[in-house]
Amino acid sequence: MRRTGPLVLTLTLAIAACGGETSSADEVIKVGQIVSLTGNYSPLGSENQKSVALAVDKINAAGGIGGRKIELTVRDDKSLPDQAVLAFNELKDDSDAIIGSPFSNSALATIPLVDREEIPYVSLTPADEQVNPVHPYVFVVPALSGTYAQAALEYFQARKLTKIAVAYDTKSSYAVAGFKGLQTKAPEYGVTLGPIEQFQTTATEFGAIFTHVRSSDAQALMLWATGAPAVAITKQYAASGLDIPLVLTGSQASKLFLEPAGPAAEGATIASSVGVVGDHLPAGELKTAVDELTTAFTAEYGYPPPQFAQDGYSGVKLLAAAVEKAGGTDPKKVRDALEGLTLTTPNGTYAYSATDHSGLTTEFISINTIEGGKFVPTEFSAGRFK
């Protein structure tokens, strides 16, 4: 029986063939998606959902996986962890796999249920705690917060920046994990952190942070945040008179940040998935994967896919490849297939293993500057593209 409950949005992208046929090719592959369609993280979730639906539609139009179409059921977690738990419980009995929320706190609240139910779970948020330690059925799509931290440190080292101020949102698991990754790895790169400033997601005034940074010898300020605080800090930073670089992370690699931040974002340094700067990639397998998404997404929505769309599309591609490799939807076989999967997607080339359920390295993170309202790779990153 299909589990009942309040359905926020259901996308049935294919229906099993009619008539008396009962072969496996007539069965759909049921995928649930937990996503933030309302609340603080809806700008992220809406882009996730668009690209997930786009990828599912493309697979179905090509005949599905082993002749089986994908049926996608979407539930809104309302940017609240307890609603993500509720959504998982509504989806679990009638899903072959689940694609998780872009909100790190929602994903972390869901993981104990994934462990218990043993359903393949593809997460669209980068908090390190999801895979460190490894949870058998949890696989992360975006580069981890800690991987973003390492990429930034590689850039600082190359630029000979040794003293970095940091501000981070203590209420965001993503931001906390990023700061911890930066703090842990900084000595390896000859980097000293300070001052270290904390704020909460609801904060709107950041003058005290700038005062502390101004009175320090910091050579750059790195911000770990998602949503509205990043826009407010960027605008206030531009007006503060500070002339050291402002460094942002993948959570701001989107028009959803660029448009409200406006001219204040010009000149800022920002890390992103390589797919966000796909126009600058050399010809090859990675650029082909990026162009596949960019062409379809831009044609459908009228603008290039942001970071969050890269994540959603890549997540479906990874799950589909695992189901194909497993020869079906048996949860254990799909999990085992993911653990042995190497696949190039718009986010880069994943190499999952039994001990690595994140799969991406710093090779697939680009350090960019914002020029004319667009992301442009720095010489540091452009020289590393393959």
Side-chain angles (χ1 to χ4, degrees):
M1 294 286 292
R2 181 180 293 273
R3 189 177 176 87
T4 59
L7 179 62
V8 175
L9 174 64
T10 299
L11 297 176
T12 304
L13 294 165
I15 302 174
C18 299
E21 297 287 332
T22 59
S23 67
S24 61
D26 293 330
E27 299 173 5
V28 295
I29 297 169
K30 296 180 179 180
V31 176
Q33 183 186 7
I34 302 170
V35 63
S36 303
L37 295 176
T38 55
N40 287 342
Y41 291 86
S42 59
L44 285 67
S46 61
E47 303 300 333
N48 280 163
Q49 195 275 316
K50 288 174 184 175
S51 61
V52 165
L54 198 65
V56 169
D57 193 36
K58 181 176 179 61
I59 290 169
N60 285 344
I65 305 169
R68 297 171 64 185
K69 302 294 182 70
I70 300 174
E71 181 183 272
L72 180 66
T73 301
V74 181
R75 299 292 174 93
D76 181 9
D77 71 6
K78 304 176 183 178
S79 303
L80 296 170
D82 63 332
Q83 293 299 307
V85 169
L86 177 64
F88 181 88
N89 284 329
E90 291 170 349
L91 290 167
K92 66 183 177 66
D93 290 336
D94 200 33
S95 296
D96 296 308
I98 291 177
I99 297 172
S101 175
F103 179 30
S104 56
N105 295 17
S106 285
L108 291 171
T110 305
I111 284 173
L113 305 179
V114 178
D115 289 343
R116 184 185 70 199
E117 299 296 333
E118 298 185 337
I119 296 173
Y121 179 87
V122 176
S123 176
L124 301 187
T125 194
D128 295 53
E129 297 97 319
Q130 300 171 98
V131 293
N132 186 18
V134 166
H135 294 264
Y137 286 83
V138 177
F139 295 81
V140 171
V141 176
L144 295 178
S145 301
T147 307
Y148 270 100
Q150 183 177 340
L153 288 165
E154 291 172 359
Y155 174 72
F156 295 147
Q157 186 181 59
R159 290 284 311 277
K160 295 182 171 52
L161 301 176
T162 60
K163 298 176 181 179
I164 307 297
V166 184
Y168 72 100
D169 182 352
T170 61
K171 295 299 183 181
S172 164
S173 297
Y174 164 77
V176 171
F179 167 68
K180 288 181 177 178
L182 201 68
Q183 188 177 48
T184 299
K185 297 175 181 178
E188 298 175 30
Y189 293 87
V191 171
T192 301
L193 303 181
I196 296 170
E197 303 289 328
Q198 300 178 343
F199 61 91
Q200 297 186 1
T201 310
T202 53
T204 58
E205 171 55 47
F206 302 95
I209 292 176
F210 305 144
T211 297
H212 296 158
V213 173
R214 186 178 291 107
S215 62
S216 75
D217 58 357
Q219 297 166 296
L221 169 62
M222 186 166 192
L223 172 66
W224 290 91
T226 55
V231 174
I233 286 176
T234 300
K235 286 185 172 181
Q236 292 173 34
Y237 191 82
S240 72
L242 283 165
D243 59 359
I244 59 175
L246 176 64
V247 182
L248 307 163
T249 71
S251 285
Q252 286 78 54
S254 164
K255 76 181 187 70
L256 304 172
F257 165 77
L258 287 177
E259 289 181 354
E266 282 294 300
T269 302
I270 186 163
S272 76
S273 160
V274 292
V276 172
V277 290
D279 287 348
H280 299 270
L281 291 173
E285 185 180 18
L286 178 56
K287 183 167 179 58
T288 297
V290 171
D291 288 347
E292 176 187 307
L293 167 60
T294 301
T295 299
F297 192 95
T298 305
E300 183 72 19
Y301 298 109
Y303 59 91
Q307 177 74 64
F308 316 114
Q310 309 278 342
D311 297 336
Y313 199 85
S314 296
V316 174
K317 299 285 279 188
L318 289 160
L319 182 58
V323 171
E324 184 174 19
K325 184 178 179 181
T329 55
D330 177 83
K332 185 178 184 303
K333 290 181 179 179
V334 172
R335 184 210 59 194
D336 291 348
L338 280 164
E339 284 192 340
L341 188 64
T342 298
L343 185 73
T344 298
T345 80
N347 262 356
T349 299
Y350 291 80
Y352 289 132
S353 71
T355 58
D356 183 1
H357 283 201
S358 59
L360 285 179
T361 66
T362 58
E363 178 184 353
F364 301 105
I365 294 175
S366 179
I367 308 296
N368 315 303
T369 54
I370 299 174
E371 300 178 9
K374 296 181 179 180
F375 301 114
V376 179
T378 59
E379 289 184 11
F380 168 80
S381 285
R384 300 170 78 182
F385 289 160
K386 298 178 181 178

